[in-house]
Amino acid sequence: MDIQSPMLMRLYELWRNRHLEGTLPGRRDFDPVEMKDCLGNIFILEYVPDIDNFRYTLIGTKIVNWVGVDNTGKLVDEIFDDRMRQFYKGLQARQVPVRTSGKVVWRDKEHVAYELVTLPLSDDKRTVNRFIGAMDFHMKC
């Protein structure tokens, strides 16, 4: 993972330190106090098996401020096209973390760049049923 943002690297390291002996960490393995520097940048997705989709159960205030809308409670398909749901399905099956970056092309904010990490979580330590992630934004030069 070629993570540039120090804040995202700290979150990734927290996740990695809890990814022990081949088991996945769960949401309960993360203490908000030790993540206070990135709480506003965090999002949590929960898998909804009845409809084979993912719901944003938490979106940090810094993400909301940069993106311009709070999508907490919405399904991935309500915000993005089906490619994003398929992206998360692939991560769910592979059980791997991912880093992405690019321009904020949505909401007419092409002058803003982002870096994002998405990390799989599991309540039973085996099956991915959530993701924790974070976004870091900056103005492009």
Side-chain angles (χ1 to χ4, degrees):
M1 300 263 291
D2 183 27
I3 300 171
Q4 303 299 307
S5 163
M7 182 265 303
L8 296 179
M9 181 55 84
R10 282 190 298 281
L11 180 63
Y12 173 70
E13 290 296 327
L14 283 171
W15 178 85
R16 201 174 78 175
N17 290 336
R18 286 154 176 79
H19 189 271
L20 303 173
E21 300 173 15
T23 64
L24 290 166
R27 184 175 181 185
R28 293 184 193 139
D29 294 324
F30 293 87
D31 182 354
V33 172
E34 66 185 341
M35 302 177 355
K36 66 181 177 180
D37 67 321
C38 57
L39 287 178
N41 298 78
I42 285 181
F43 63 91
I44 296 177
L45 278 164
E46 180 177 75
Y47 180 59
V48 184
D50 295 345
I51 56 174
D52 194 30
N53 207 332
F54 299 87
R55 182 179 311 280
Y56 286 96
T57 59
L58 176 96
I59 299 178
T61 55
K62 290 182 182 177
I63 295 173
V64 171
N65 289 339
W66 277 102
V67 173
V69 64
D70 185 357
N71 287 311
T72 302
K74 291 191 179 177
L75 296 169
V76 167
D77 284 358
E78 293 179 284
I79 304 164
F80 305 104
D81 61 28
D82 193 54
R83 290 178 293 177
M84 187 61 75
R85 187 182 67 80
Q86 292 300 327
F87 169 78
Y88 286 119
K89 289 292 292 177
L91 286 181
Q92 184 181 39
R94 292 190 322 269
Q95 301 185 349
V96 296
V98 69
R99 174 212 177 256
T100 56
S101 64
K103 294 187 284 186
V104 178
V105 295
W106 62 94
R107 308 298 244 177
D108 296 322
K109 294 190 178 186
E110 290 85 6
H111 61 284
V112 177
Y114 72 91
E115 182 178 21
L116 174 136
V117 294
T118 306
L119 311 164
L121 300 176
S122 173
D123 289 345
D124 67 6
K125 304 292 186 190
R126 293 181 312 275
T127 306
V128 175
N129 65 328
R130 297 178 208 281
F131 293 100
I132 188 170
M135 295 183 81
D136 200 359
F137 298 90
H138 62 275
M139 301 294 278
K140 290 177 40 184
C141 296

